[in-house]
Amino acid sequence: MKKFGVSIQTVRLDRLELGIPELRERLKLMAEQTYDQVRSLPLHEVIGDVIDLQLDKSGISIFEIKPEHVFSRTKIARGHHIFSQANSLAVAVIDDEVALTASADIRFIRPVRLGEKCVAKAYVRSGSQAGGKAHVEVFTYVGDEKVFQGNFMIYRTKTIEQDQTEGVDNHANSN
Amino acid sequence: MKKFGVSIQTVRLDRLELGIPELRERLKLMAEQTYDQVRSLPLHEVIGDVIDLQLDKSGISIFEIKPEHVFSRTKIARGHHIFSQANSLAVAVIDDEVALTASADIRFIRPVRLGEKCVAKAYVRSGSQAGGKAHVEVFTYVGDEKVFQGNFMIYRTKTIEQDQTEGVDNHANSN
């Protein structure tokens, strides 16, 4: 891969863009074997298909906008689906048993439409040590157009009980 | 109502707190007859039951956390459901045919658990004239505890086509 001056991820995404289903399936299988396992939630609870994951570093997921995700009138994706993909990826990259979104600052850059494929990329920017909060940045693209970006503060803890006995407020919640 | 120094809304919510189902149904019927009609999206696309709505002013909705809304491990509501209720209410209060979330600044204050009833209250703070952006503040409570708050910038327009022909970026998107 190095020969061509592109990363494996780029190639993966380029291939996905081709939309060849068998290739996508093969890729998914391959990815499942090579990327880290999600720890903070069961994989099936992540919104979108995780195609790459480096715990406490970065992650990529793909989510296709289907009829059930759009407004009936405009066929524009409802914001909470775009948010869900980004938010659950931000939680999934955390290398802890419990990771909950404390706060987020999000921007919807352009409407996403029925049939479009959203590729979300998450980067852990700080707070990668256990305990405390992590800052995770997420960018979502359709093709090479950025459609969404968000800054997530993720609260990480070993168990949720620990959080409660400490009576912690303001930095604990659901993904 | 004035005699007791409380607003109709307070009485409504107090009654809801009692959780008497028939009363709730009656109340909902009554509310449907007295509050404004949602314009920006079909009522059934609002997440949660809208129990009060004053277009371009304020709105209230109720959303109960059911098994399909929680993480399997912790029984804590997934953040995007809390977000969805708030976001769709922020869109519903807008008195325009198309209203899309441009950006949001959100905070999850404490985890919400299975069976809890989330009461979201939205207030239009500025930008209530047609066109442009509106600032909508949303607070979500379980009983008298605040569990979520968000500042939403909602882009309003007559039609989505208008938005596109203007080539507007950065302030158009899905709810």
Side-chain angles (χ1 to χ4, degrees):
Chain A
M1 294 287 184
K2 281 227 174 99
K3 231 190 229 175
F4 302 98
V6 293
S7 70
I8 290 174
Q9 273 176 19
T10 308
V11 173
R12 282 183 184 171
L13 289 173
D14 285 352
R15 283 190 190 163
L16 281 165
E17 281 315 301
L18 299 176
I20 305 166
E22 319 83 75
L23 190 59
R24 192 179 155 168
E25 277 313 302
R26 248 197 296 151
L27 193 63
K28 216 178 129 185
L29 257 176
M30 189 189 81
E32 274 164 12
Q33 288 154 8
T34 58
Y35 67 61
D36 290 348
Q37 296 296 308
V38 180
R39 285 191 63 198
S40 56
L41 72 175
L43 186 58
H44 71 267
E45 293 193 354
V46 179
I47 313 288
D49 294 331
V50 175
I51 59 156
D52 191 36
L53 190 70
Q54 311 299 325
L55 286 176
D56 277 346
K57 289 201 184 85
S58 64
I60 299 179
S61 77
I62 298 195
F63 179 66
E64 186 176 338
I65 304 301
K66 300 204 168 133
E68 63 268 32
H69 304 130
V70 302
F71 282 110
S72 54
R73 278 189 207 162
T74 55
K75 308 298 178 208
I76 289 177
R78 306 190 63 170
H80 67 262
H81 295 297
I82 309 292
F83 173 81
S84 302
Q85 177 190 17
N87 188 39
S88 64
L89 186 63
V91 166
V93 294
I94 299 297
D95 189 12
D96 249 306
E97 276 161 37
V98 178
L100 301 167
T101 306
S103 62
D105 201 336
I106 59 177
R107 205 150 63 85
F108 295 94
I109 298 164
R110 75 122 162 112
V112 179
R113 287 161 194 288
L114 184 59
E116 288 187 317
K117 284 192 197 78
C118 295
V119 177
K121 302 181 182 187
Y123 304 93
V124 179
R125 297 299 191 196
S126 65
S128 60
Q129 67 285 14
K133 284 193 210 179
H135 171 206
V136 183
E137 231 177 341
V138 182
F139 302 96
T140 305
Y141 299 86
V142 169
D144 57 2
E145 262 190 290
K146 202 196 290 176
V147 296
F148 171 93
Q149 71 180 55
N151 280 294
F152 294 83
M153 292 304 301
I154 309 289
Y155 179 62
R156 51 160 84 221
T157 175
K158 286 272 168 285
T159 64
I160 190 64
E161 281 70 35
Q162 188 185 334
D163 166 32
Q164 293 183 311
T165 53
E166 285 171 9
V168 177
D169 194 8
N170 267 357
H171 50 49
N173 201 292
S174 37
N175 119 329
Chain B
M1 293 288 185
K2 282 228 174 100
K3 231 190 227 176
F4 302 99
V6 294
S7 71
I8 290 174
Q9 273 177 18
T10 308
V11 172
R12 282 182 185 172
L13 289 172
D14 286 353
R15 281 187 190 166
L16 282 165
E17 282 314 303
L18 300 175
I20 305 166
E22 319 84 76
L23 190 57
R24 193 179 153 168
E25 277 313 301
R26 246 198 297 152
L27 193 61
K28 217 178 128 185
L29 258 177
M30 188 187 83
E32 276 165 10
Q33 289 154 8
T34 59
Y35 68 60
D36 289 348
Q37 295 296 307
V38 179
R39 284 190 64 197
S40 56
L41 72 173
L43 186 58
H44 72 268
E45 292 192 355
V46 179
I47 314 288
D49 295 331
V50 175
I51 59 156
D52 191 37
L53 190 70
Q54 312 298 326
L55 286 177
D56 277 346
K57 291 202 183 86
S58 64
I60 300 177
S61 77
I62 299 195
F63 179 66
E64 187 175 338
I65 304 301
K66 301 205 166 133
E68 63 268 30
H69 304 130
V70 301
F71 282 110
S72 54
R73 279 189 205 159
T74 55
K75 309 297 177 208
I76 289 177
R78 306 192 63 169
H80 68 261
H81 294 298
I82 309 293
F83 173 82
S84 302
Q85 178 189 17
N87 189 38
S88 64
L89 187 62
V91 166
V93 294
I94 298 298
D95 188 11
D96 250 305
E97 274 160 38
V98 178
L100 301 166
T101 306
S103 63
D105 200 337
I106 58 177
R107 205 150 62 84
F108 295 95
I109 297 163
R110 74 118 161 115
V112 179
R113 288 162 192 289
L114 184 58
E116 288 187 317
K117 284 191 196 81
C118 295
V119 177
K121 302 182 184 185
Y123 304 94
V124 179
R125 296 302 191 195
S126 64
S128 60
Q129 67 285 14
K133 283 193 210 179
H135 170 207
V136 182
E137 230 177 342
V138 182
F139 302 96
T140 305
Y141 299 86
V142 170
D144 55 4
E145 263 188 291
K146 202 197 288 177
V147 296
F148 170 94
Q149 71 180 54
N151 279 294
F152 294 83
M153 292 305 299
I154 309 291
Y155 179 63
R156 52 159 86 222
T157 175
K158 288 272 170 282
T159 63
I160 191 65
E161 280 71 35
Q162 187 185 335
D163 166 34
Q164 291 183 311
T165 53
E166 283 170 11
V168 177
D169 194 8
N170 266 357
H171 49 47
N173 201 291
S174 37
N175 121 324

